[in-house]
């Protein structure tokens, strides 16, 4: 039998973080997002250090996202109805509704020249 164990370690003091004793904290500053693994005491120290700044800050009303959202495939390849009609008339199996596979979109784009 093989058992692989993963330990979460506090990034500041290198102590092992047990279940319920801390975890990963995410935050953003100057447009960059960060995450750090901290035990309860260091999580509280971070929150205490940021508290005076948070108290004076304006809320943006939303959480910072981890990554920018990708453009939708339909916007990149044109009208979905046109892609679907082309695919069906050219022997591709595509339903009347739902997602159109990327390879069909690529074939449509290539066929359009």
């Amino acid at each position: 039998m093989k058992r692989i164990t993963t330990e979460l370690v506090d990034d500041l003091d290198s102590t092992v973080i047990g279940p319920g004793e801390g975890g990963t904290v995410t935050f953003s500053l100057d447009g960059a997002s960060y995450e750090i693994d901290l035990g309860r005491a260091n999580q509280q120290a971070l929150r205490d250090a940021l508290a005076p700044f948070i108290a004076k800050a304006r809320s943006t009303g939303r959480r910072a996202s981890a990554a920018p959202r990708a453009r939708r495939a339909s916007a990149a390849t044109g009208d979905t109805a046109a892609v679907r009609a082309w695919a069906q008339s050219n022997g591709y199996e595509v339903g009347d509704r739902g997602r159109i596979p990327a390879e069909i979109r690529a074939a449509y784009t290539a066929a359009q020249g």
Side-chain angles (χ1 to χ4, degrees):
M1 175 163 72
K2 182 178 188 179
R3 180 176 292 174
I4 299 172
T5 304
T6 302
E7 290 183 326
L8 189 60
V9 177
D10 189 300
D11 290 329
L12 287 183
D13 62 21
S14 299
T15 59
V16 174
I17 302 170
E21 296 177 356
T24 303
V25 177
T26 58
F27 61 97
S28 296
L29 181 65
D30 295 334
S33 297
Y34 302 92
E35 66 178 30
I36 187 169
D37 300 325
L38 299 172
R40 269 194 236 150
N42 283 332
Q43 283 182 347
Q44 191 59 50
L46 175 62
R47 289 184 177 95
D48 290 345
L50 294 174
F53 300 96
I54 292 170
K56 299 291 183 176
R58 292 176 299 279
S59 174
T60 62
R62 62 183 177 92
R63 291 182 175 264
S65 63
R69 295 183 70 135
R71 283 181 52 192
R72 295 191 64 165
S74 60
T77 58
D79 183 41
T80 301
V83 175
R84 192 177 309 279
W86 176 88
Q88 289 171 340
S89 67
N90 284 279
Y92 290 93
E93 286 189 34
V94 62
D96 293 330
R97 297 180 53 182
R99 184 183 162 279
I100 299 173
E103 59 270 11
I104 293 176
R105 287 188 176 277
Y108 171 80
T109 300
Q112 301 308 305

